[in-house]
PDB file of all heavy atoms in Angstrom:
ATOM      1  N   VAL A 373      -0.303  34.892   0.239  1.00 81.00           N
ATOM      2  CA  VAL A 373      -0.136  33.816  -0.743  1.00 81.00           C
ATOM      3  C   VAL A 373       1.328  33.375  -0.775  1.00 81.00           C
ATOM      4  O   VAL A 373       1.627  32.179  -0.826  1.00 81.00           O
ATOM      5  CB  VAL A 373      -0.600  34.255  -2.143  1.00 81.00           C
ATOM      6  CG1 VAL A 373      -0.144  33.262  -3.211  1.00 81.00           C
ATOM      7  CG2 VAL A 373      -2.122  34.397  -2.188  1.00 81.00           C
ATOM      8  N   LYS A 374       2.241  34.333  -0.702  1.00 87.00           N
ATOM      9  CA  LYS A 374       3.670  34.016  -0.660  1.00 87.00           C
ATOM     10  C   LYS A 374       4.004  33.212   0.605  1.00 87.00           C
ATOM     11  O   LYS A 374       4.776  32.250   0.555  1.00 87.00           O
ATOM     12  CB  LYS A 374       4.493  35.297  -0.713  1.00 87.00           C
ATOM     13  CG  LYS A 374       6.000  35.047  -0.755  1.00 87.00           C
ATOM     14  CD  LYS A 374       6.783  36.341  -0.824  1.00 87.00           C
ATOM     15  CE  LYS A 374       8.273  36.060  -0.835  1.00 87.00           C
ATOM     16  NZ  LYS A 374       9.088  37.299  -0.879  1.00 87.00           N
ATOM     17  N   ASN A 375       3.393  33.586   1.740  1.00 84.00           N
ATOM     18  CA  ASN A 375       3.605  32.824   2.981  1.00 84.00           C
ATOM     19  C   ASN A 375       3.197  31.369   2.799  1.00 84.00           C
ATOM     20  O   ASN A 375       3.908  30.441   3.208  1.00 84.00           O
ATOM     21  CB  ASN A 375       2.780  33.436   4.120  1.00 84.00           C
ATOM     22  CG  ASN A 375       3.356  34.741   4.629  1.00 84.00           C
ATOM     23  OD1 ASN A 375       4.512  35.061   4.347  1.00 84.00           O
ATOM     24  ND2 ASN A 375       2.564  35.486   5.388  1.00 84.00           N
ATOM     25  N   LEU A 376       2.026  31.161   2.184  1.00 84.00           N
ATOM     26  CA  LEU A 376       1.521  29.796   1.965  1.00 84.00           C
ATOM     27  C   LEU A 376       2.457  29.006   1.057  1.00 84.00           C
ATOM     28  O   LEU A 376       2.700  27.811   1.304  1.00 84.00           O
ATOM     29  CB  LEU A 376       0.120  29.849   1.365  1.00 84.00           C
ATOM     30  CG  LEU A 376      -1.010  30.292   2.316  1.00 84.00           C
ATOM     31  CD1 LEU A 376      -2.315  30.433   1.547  1.00 84.00           C
ATOM     32  CD2 LEU A 376      -1.166  29.307   3.458  1.00 84.00           C
ATOM     33  N   GLN A 377       2.964  29.662   0.032  1.00 86.00           N
ATOM     34  CA  GLN A 377       3.884  28.977  -0.878  1.00 86.00           C
ATOM     35  C   GLN A 377       5.149  28.552  -0.147  1.00 86.00           C
ATOM     36  O   GLN A 377       5.670  27.448  -0.368  1.00 86.00           O
ATOM     37  CB  GLN A 377       4.219  29.901  -2.054  1.00 86.00           C
ATOM     38  CG  GLN A 377       3.043  30.136  -3.004  1.00 86.00           C
ATOM     39  CD  GLN A 377       3.331  31.210  -4.038  1.00 86.00           C
ATOM     40  OE1 GLN A 377       4.237  32.032  -3.879  1.00 86.00           O
ATOM     41  NE2 GLN A 377       2.557  31.202  -5.124  1.00 86.00           N
ATOM     42  N   GLU A 378       5.648  29.409   0.716  1.00 88.00           N
ATOM     43  CA  GLU A 378       6.859  29.071   1.478  1.00 88.00           C
ATOM     44  C   GLU A 378       6.595  27.946   2.473  1.00 88.00           C
ATOM     45  O   GLU A 378       7.440  27.057   2.661  1.00 88.00           O
ATOM     46  CB  GLU A 378       7.365  30.325   2.211  1.00 88.00           C
ATOM     47  CG  GLU A 378       7.916  31.397   1.268  1.00 88.00           C
ATOM     48  CD  GLU A 378       8.280  32.684   1.998  1.00 88.00           C
ATOM     49  OE1 GLU A 378       7.945  32.800   3.199  1.00 88.00           O
ATOM     50  OE2 GLU A 378       8.906  33.559   1.364  1.00 88.00           O
ATOM     51  N   ILE A 379       5.424  27.969   3.105  1.00 87.00           N
ATOM     52  CA  ILE A 379       5.069  26.910   4.065  1.00 87.00           C
ATOM     53  C   ILE A 379       4.905  25.584   3.344  1.00 87.00           C
ATOM     54  O   ILE A 379       5.408  24.544   3.801  1.00 87.00           O
ATOM     55  CB  ILE A 379       3.791  27.292   4.836  1.00 87.00           C
ATOM     56  CG1 ILE A 379       4.068  28.471   5.775  1.00 87.00           C
ATOM     57  CG2 ILE A 379       3.261  26.089   5.640  1.00 87.00           C
ATOM     58  CD1 ILE A 379       2.828  29.085   6.386  1.00 87.00           C
ATOM     59  N   ASP A 380       4.215  25.602   2.200  1.00 86.00           N
ATOM     60  CA  ASP A 380       4.033  24.371   1.428  1.00 86.00           C
ATOM     61  C   ASP A 380       5.374  23.833   0.947  1.00 86.00           C
ATOM     62  O   ASP A 380       5.586  22.608   0.881  1.00 86.00           O
ATOM     63  CB  ASP A 380       3.103  24.626   0.249  1.00 86.00           C
ATOM     64  CG  ASP A 380       1.646  24.751   0.654  1.00 86.00           C
ATOM     65  OD1 ASP A 380       1.312  24.338   1.784  1.00 86.00           O
ATOM     66  OD2 ASP A 380       0.836  25.276  -0.132  1.00 86.00           O
ATOM     67  N   SER A 381       6.294  24.723   0.591  1.00 89.00           N
ATOM     68  CA  SER A 381       7.625  24.299   0.177  1.00 89.00           C
ATOM     69  C   SER A 381       8.369  23.631   1.342  1.00 89.00           C
ATOM     70  O   SER A 381       9.057  22.617   1.154  1.00 89.00           O
ATOM     71  CB  SER A 381       8.421  25.508  -0.330  1.00 89.00           C
ATOM     72  OG  SER A 381       9.739  25.129  -0.663  1.00 89.00           O
ATOM     73  N   THR A 382       8.195  24.176   2.544  1.00 89.00           N
ATOM     74  CA  THR A 382       8.813  23.574   3.729  1.00 89.00           C
ATOM     75  C   THR A 382       8.226  22.200   4.008  1.00 89.00           C
ATOM     76  O   THR A 382       8.949  21.250   4.337  1.00 89.00           O
ATOM     77  CB  THR A 382       8.613  24.491   4.961  1.00 89.00           C
ATOM     78  OG1 THR A 382       9.185  25.772   4.687  1.00 89.00           O
ATOM     79  CG2 THR A 382       9.267  23.885   6.194  1.00 89.00           C
ATOM     80  N   PHE A 383       6.910  22.083   3.875  1.00 89.00           N
ATOM     81  CA  PHE A 383       6.256  20.781   4.054  1.00 89.00           C
ATOM     82  C   PHE A 383       6.815  19.761   3.066  1.00 89.00           C
ATOM     83  O   PHE A 383       7.047  18.603   3.408  1.00 89.00           O
ATOM     84  CB  PHE A 383       4.747  20.928   3.857  1.00 89.00           C
ATOM     85  CG  PHE A 383       3.990  21.205   5.125  1.00 89.00           C
ATOM     86  CD1 PHE A 383       4.379  22.217   5.993  1.00 89.00           C
ATOM     87  CD2 PHE A 383       2.877  20.449   5.469  1.00 89.00           C
ATOM     88  CE1 PHE A 383       3.691  22.474   7.156  1.00 89.00           C
ATOM     89  CE2 PHE A 383       2.189  20.691   6.633  1.00 89.00           C
ATOM     90  CZ  PHE A 383       2.593  21.713   7.485  1.00 89.00           C
ATOM     91  N   ALA A 384       7.009  20.189   1.811  1.00 88.00           N
ATOM     92  CA  ALA A 384       7.526  19.287   0.782  1.00 88.00           C
ATOM     93  C   ALA A 384       8.947  18.834   1.123  1.00 88.00           C
ATOM     94  O   ALA A 384       9.306  17.666   0.929  1.00 88.00           O
ATOM     95  CB  ALA A 384       7.497  19.966  -0.581  1.00 88.00           C
ATOM     96  N   THR A 385       9.754  19.760   1.651  1.00 90.00           N
ATOM     97  CA  THR A 385      11.126  19.426   2.046  1.00 90.00           C
ATOM     98  C   THR A 385      11.129  18.403   3.191  1.00 90.00           C
ATOM     99  O   THR A 385      11.900  17.434   3.176  1.00 90.00           O
ATOM    100  CB  THR A 385      11.884  20.686   2.479  1.00 90.00           C
ATOM    101  OG1 THR A 385      11.913  21.611   1.379  1.00 90.00           O
ATOM    102  CG2 THR A 385      13.303  20.354   2.899  1.00 90.00           C
ATOM    103  N   ILE A 386      10.240  18.590   4.169  1.00 90.00           N
ATOM    104  CA  ILE A 386      10.138  17.663   5.290  1.00 90.00           C
ATOM    105  C   ILE A 386       9.659  16.291   4.813  1.00 90.00           C
ATOM    106  O   ILE A 386      10.167  15.258   5.248  1.00 90.00           O
ATOM    107  CB  ILE A 386       9.191  18.238   6.368  1.00 90.00           C
ATOM    108  CG1 ILE A 386       9.839  19.466   7.024  1.00 90.00           C
ATOM    109  CG2 ILE A 386       8.846  17.184   7.417  1.00 90.00           C
ATOM    110  CD1 ILE A 386       8.931  20.215   7.975  1.00 90.00           C
ATOM    111  N   ALA A 387       8.688  16.290   3.892  1.00 88.00           N
ATOM    112  CA  ALA A 387       8.194  15.024   3.344  1.00 88.00           C
ATOM    113  C   ALA A 387       9.306  14.264   2.641  1.00 88.00           C
ATOM    114  O   ALA A 387       9.405  13.033   2.744  1.00 88.00           O
ATOM    115  CB  ALA A 387       7.044  15.286   2.386  1.00 88.00           C
ATOM    116  N   HIS A 388      10.161  15.001   1.937  1.00 88.00           N
ATOM    117  CA  HIS A 388      11.250  14.369   1.192  1.00 88.00           C
ATOM    118  C   HIS A 388      12.307  13.780   2.131  1.00 88.00           C
ATOM    119  O   HIS A 388      12.878  12.722   1.850  1.00 88.00           O
ATOM    120  CB  HIS A 388      11.898  15.388   0.247  1.00 88.00           C
ATOM    121  CG  HIS A 388      13.005  14.826  -0.579  1.00 88.00           C
ATOM    122  ND1 HIS A 388      12.787  13.974  -1.649  1.00 88.00           N
ATOM    123  CD2 HIS A 388      14.364  14.973  -0.481  1.00 88.00           C
ATOM    124  CE1 HIS A 388      13.939  13.639  -2.182  1.00 88.00           C
ATOM    125  NE2 HIS A 388      14.917  14.219  -1.499  1.00 88.00           N
ATOM    126  N   SER A 389      12.562  14.448   3.248  1.00 89.00           N
ATOM    127  CA  SER A 389      13.641  14.033   4.148  1.00 89.00           C
ATOM    128  C   SER A 389      13.168  13.097   5.264  1.00 89.00           C
ATOM    129  O   SER A 389      14.001  12.498   5.959  1.00 89.00           O
ATOM    130  CB  SER A 389      14.323  15.259   4.761  1.00 89.00           C
ATOM    131  OG  SER A 389      13.394  16.062   5.447  1.00 89.00           O
ATOM    132  N   HIS A 390      11.860  12.960   5.445  1.00 91.00           N
ATOM    133  CA  HIS A 390      11.321  12.077   6.497  1.00 91.00           C
ATOM    134  C   HIS A 390      10.248  11.172   5.877  1.00 91.00           C
ATOM    135  O   HIS A 390       9.066  11.492   5.886  1.00 91.00           O
ATOM    136  CB  HIS A 390      10.739  12.892   7.651  1.00 91.00           C
ATOM    137  CG  HIS A 390      11.771  13.698   8.377  1.00 91.00           C
ATOM    138  ND1 HIS A 390      12.149  14.961   7.975  1.00 91.00           N
ATOM    139  CD2 HIS A 390      12.533  13.419   9.475  1.00 91.00           C
ATOM    140  CE1 HIS A 390      13.086  15.416   8.788  1.00 91.00           C
ATOM    141  NE2 HIS A 390      13.329  14.511   9.703  1.00 91.00           N
ATOM    142  N   SER A 391      10.720  10.072   5.331  1.00 92.00           N
ATOM    143  CA  SER A 391       9.844   9.215   4.509  1.00 92.00           C
ATOM    144  C   SER A 391       8.647   8.668   5.271  1.00 92.00           C
ATOM    145  O   SER A 391       7.593   8.423   4.683  1.00 92.00           O
ATOM    146  CB  SER A 391      10.655   8.057   3.920  1.00 92.00           C
ATOM    147  OG  SER A 391      11.180   7.225   4.950  1.00 92.00           O
ATOM    148  N   LEU A 392       8.767   8.483   6.591  1.00 95.00           N
ATOM    149  CA  LEU A 392       7.659   7.910   7.353  1.00 95.00           C
ATOM    150  C   LEU A 392       6.502   8.893   7.505  1.00 95.00           C
ATOM    151  O   LEU A 392       5.369   8.484   7.796  1.00 95.00           O
ATOM    152  CB  LEU A 392       8.136   7.454   8.729  1.00 95.00           C
ATOM    153  CG  LEU A 392       9.065   6.222   8.714  1.00 95.00           C
ATOM    154  CD1 LEU A 392       9.640   5.962  10.096  1.00 95.00           C
ATOM    155  CD2 LEU A 392       8.329   4.995   8.200  1.00 95.00           C
ATOM    156  N   LEU A 393       6.743  10.182   7.307  1.00 94.00           N
ATOM    157  CA  LEU A 393       5.664  11.174   7.330  1.00 94.00           C
ATOM    158  C   LEU A 393       5.205  11.555   5.925  1.00 94.00           C
ATOM    159  O   LEU A 393       4.223  12.267   5.763  1.00 94.00           O
ATOM    160  CB  LEU A 393       6.123  12.435   8.083  1.00 94.00           C
ATOM    161  CG  LEU A 393       6.393  12.273   9.578  1.00 94.00           C
ATOM    162  CD1 LEU A 393       6.886  13.586  10.169  1.00 94.00           C
ATOM    163  CD2 LEU A 393       5.149  11.792  10.316  1.00 94.00           C
ATOM    164  N   ARG A 394       5.929  11.086   4.938  1.00 94.00           N
ATOM    165  CA  ARG A 394       5.635  11.467   3.560  1.00 94.00           C
ATOM    166  C   ARG A 394       4.219  11.092   3.107  1.00 94.00           C
ATOM    167  O   ARG A 394       3.554  11.902   2.448  1.00 94.00           O
ATOM    168  CB  ARG A 394       6.671  10.849   2.617  1.00 94.00           C
ATOM    169  CG  ARG A 394       6.520  11.304   1.154  1.00 94.00           C
ATOM    170  CD  ARG A 394       7.534  10.588   0.282  1.00 94.00           C
ATOM    171  NE  ARG A 394       8.875  10.844   0.745  1.00 94.00           N
ATOM    172  CZ  ARG A 394       9.903  10.032   0.516  1.00 94.00           C
ATOM    173  NH1 ARG A 394       9.726   8.900  -0.114  1.00 94.00           N
ATOM    174  NH2 ARG A 394      11.105  10.353   0.942  1.00 94.00           N
ATOM    175  N   PRO A 395       3.705   9.895   3.443  1.00 94.00           N
ATOM    176  CA  PRO A 395       2.371   9.542   2.932  1.00 94.00           C
ATOM    177  C   PRO A 395       1.277  10.535   3.309  1.00 94.00           C
ATOM    178  O   PRO A 395       0.480  10.946   2.464  1.00 94.00           O
ATOM    179  CB  PRO A 395       2.116   8.155   3.553  1.00 94.00           C
ATOM    180  CG  PRO A 395       3.484   7.586   3.765  1.00 94.00           C
ATOM    181  CD  PRO A 395       4.332   8.762   4.157  1.00 94.00           C
ATOM    182  N   ILE A 396       1.213  10.938   4.585  1.00 95.00           N
ATOM    183  CA  ILE A 396       0.140  11.841   5.009  1.00 95.00           C
ATOM    184  C   ILE A 396       0.344  13.239   4.425  1.00 95.00           C
ATOM    185  O   ILE A 396      -0.618  13.916   4.033  1.00 95.00           O
ATOM    186  CB  ILE A 396       0.033  11.880   6.563  1.00 95.00           C
ATOM    187  CG1 ILE A 396      -1.224  12.628   6.993  1.00 95.00           C
ATOM    188  CG2 ILE A 396       1.273  12.472   7.194  1.00 95.00           C
ATOM    189  CD1 ILE A 396      -2.508  11.928   6.642  1.00 95.00           C
ATOM    190  N   LEU A 397       1.596  13.682   4.339  1.00 94.00           N
ATOM    191  CA  LEU A 397       1.875  15.008   3.769  1.00 94.00           C
ATOM    192  C   LEU A 397       1.577  15.019   2.270  1.00 94.00           C
ATOM    193  O   LEU A 397       1.030  16.001   1.738  1.00 94.00           O
ATOM    194  CB  LEU A 397       3.309  15.409   4.044  1.00 94.00           C
ATOM    195  CG  LEU A 397       3.702  15.585   5.522  1.00 94.00           C
ATOM    196  CD1 LEU A 397       5.174  15.938   5.662  1.00 94.00           C
ATOM    197  CD2 LEU A 397       2.827  16.649   6.185  1.00 94.00           C
ATOM    198  N   ASP A 398       1.923  13.950   1.578  1.00 94.00           N
ATOM    199  CA  ASP A 398       1.628  13.873   0.141  1.00 94.00           C
ATOM    200  C   ASP A 398       0.132  13.787  -0.118  1.00 94.00           C
ATOM    201  O   ASP A 398      -0.375  14.335  -1.109  1.00 94.00           O
ATOM    202  CB  ASP A 398       2.334  12.669  -0.485  1.00 94.00           C
ATOM    203  CG  ASP A 398       3.804  12.928  -0.767  1.00 94.00           C
ATOM    204  OD1 ASP A 398       4.228  14.095  -0.643  1.00 94.00           O
ATOM    205  OD2 ASP A 398       4.527  11.984  -1.111  1.00 94.00           O
ATOM    206  N   PHE A 399      -0.571  13.088   0.741  1.00 95.00           N
ATOM    207  CA  PHE A 399      -2.031  12.944   0.589  1.00 95.00           C
ATOM    208  C   PHE A 399      -2.693  14.321   0.560  1.00 95.00           C
ATOM    209  O   PHE A 399      -3.513  14.617  -0.310  1.00 95.00           O
ATOM    210  CB  PHE A 399      -2.568  12.098   1.744  1.00 95.00           C
ATOM    211  CG  PHE A 399      -4.060  11.916   1.742  1.00 95.00           C
ATOM    212  CD1 PHE A 399      -4.679  11.040   0.873  1.00 95.00           C
ATOM    213  CD2 PHE A 399      -4.849  12.609   2.652  1.00 95.00           C
ATOM    214  CE1 PHE A 399      -6.045  10.858   0.890  1.00 95.00           C
ATOM    215  CE2 PHE A 399      -6.225  12.438   2.676  1.00 95.00           C
ATOM    216  CZ  PHE A 399      -6.825  11.554   1.802  1.00 95.00           C
ATOM    217  N   TYR A 400      -2.322  15.172   1.502  1.00 94.00           N
ATOM    218  CA  TYR A 400      -2.939  16.501   1.543  1.00 94.00           C
ATOM    219  C   TYR A 400      -2.330  17.446   0.508  1.00 94.00           C
ATOM    220  O   TYR A 400      -3.021  18.372   0.046  1.00 94.00           O
ATOM    221  CB  TYR A 400      -2.857  17.065   2.953  1.00 94.00           C
ATOM    222  CG  TYR A 400      -3.906  16.456   3.844  1.00 94.00           C
ATOM    223  CD1 TYR A 400      -3.584  15.449   4.751  1.00 94.00           C
ATOM    224  CD2 TYR A 400      -5.236  16.843   3.743  1.00 94.00           C
ATOM    225  CE1 TYR A 400      -4.560  14.867   5.537  1.00 94.00           C
ATOM    226  CE2 TYR A 400      -6.224  16.257   4.527  1.00 94.00           C
ATOM    227  CZ  TYR A 400      -5.873  15.269   5.420  1.00 94.00           C
ATOM    228  OH  TYR A 400      -6.859  14.673   6.189  1.00 94.00           O
ATOM    229  N   ARG A 401      -1.088  17.211   0.108  1.00 91.00           N
ATOM    230  CA  ARG A 401      -0.513  18.022  -0.968  1.00 91.00           C
ATOM    231  C   ARG A 401      -1.311  17.812  -2.257  1.00 91.00           C
ATOM    232  O   ARG A 401      -1.615  18.768  -2.971  1.00 91.00           O
ATOM    233  CB  ARG A 401       0.954  17.638  -1.191  1.00 91.00           C
ATOM    234  CG  ARG A 401       1.598  18.384  -2.364  1.00 91.00           C
ATOM    235  CD  ARG A 401       3.020  17.883  -2.609  1.00 91.00           C
ATOM    236  NE  ARG A 401       3.070  16.444  -2.822  1.00 91.00           N
ATOM    237  CZ  ARG A 401       2.762  15.862  -3.976  1.00 91.00           C
ATOM    238  NH1 ARG A 401       2.368  16.568  -5.010  1.00 91.00           N
ATOM    239  NH2 ARG A 401       2.850  14.533  -4.078  1.00 91.00           N
ATOM    240  N   ILE A 402      -1.663  16.565  -2.546  1.00 92.00           N
ATOM    241  CA  ILE A 402      -2.444  16.259  -3.743  1.00 92.00           C
ATOM    242  C   ILE A 402      -3.830  16.895  -3.652  1.00 92.00           C
ATOM    243  O   ILE A 402      -4.331  17.496  -4.608  1.00 92.00           O
ATOM    244  CB  ILE A 402      -2.573  14.734  -3.930  1.00 92.00           C
ATOM    245  CG1 ILE A 402      -1.202  14.122  -4.224  1.00 92.00           C
ATOM    246  CG2 ILE A 402      -3.545  14.408  -5.069  1.00 92.00           C
ATOM    247  CD1 ILE A 402      -1.168  12.613  -4.138  1.00 92.00           C
ATOM    248  N   ARG A 403      -4.443  16.795  -2.484  1.00 92.00           N
ATOM    249  CA  ARG A 403      -5.785  17.351  -2.325  1.00 92.00           C
ATOM    250  C   ARG A 403      -5.776  18.878  -2.401  1.00 92.00           C
ATOM    251  O   ARG A 403      -6.664  19.479  -3.018  1.00 92.00           O
ATOM    252  CB  ARG A 403      -6.390  16.892  -0.996  1.00 92.00           C
ATOM    253  CG  ARG A 403      -6.636  15.389  -0.929  1.00 92.00           C
ATOM    254  CD  ARG A 403      -7.404  15.016   0.319  1.00 92.00           C
ATOM    255  NE  ARG A 403      -8.744  15.586   0.302  1.00 92.00           N
ATOM    256  CZ  ARG A 403      -9.536  15.670   1.353  1.00 92.00           C
ATOM    257  NH1 ARG A 403      -9.117  15.243   2.522  1.00 92.00           N
ATOM    258  NH2 ARG A 403     -10.727  16.202   1.251  1.00 92.00           N
TER     259      ARG A 403
END
Side-chain angles (χ1 to χ4, degrees):
V373 167
K374 183 179 179 181
N375 286 344
L376 288 174
Q377 291 171 341
E378 291 174 351
I379 291 169
D380 285 343
S381 177
T382 302
F383 268 51
T385 300
I386 291 173
H388 181 74
S389 58
H390 296 86
S391 62
L392 290 172
L393 294 178
R394 185 183 302 155
I396 189 67
L397 297 178
D398 280 351
F399 178 76
Y400 282 102
R401 176 185 56 80
I402 294 168
R403 295 188 65 195

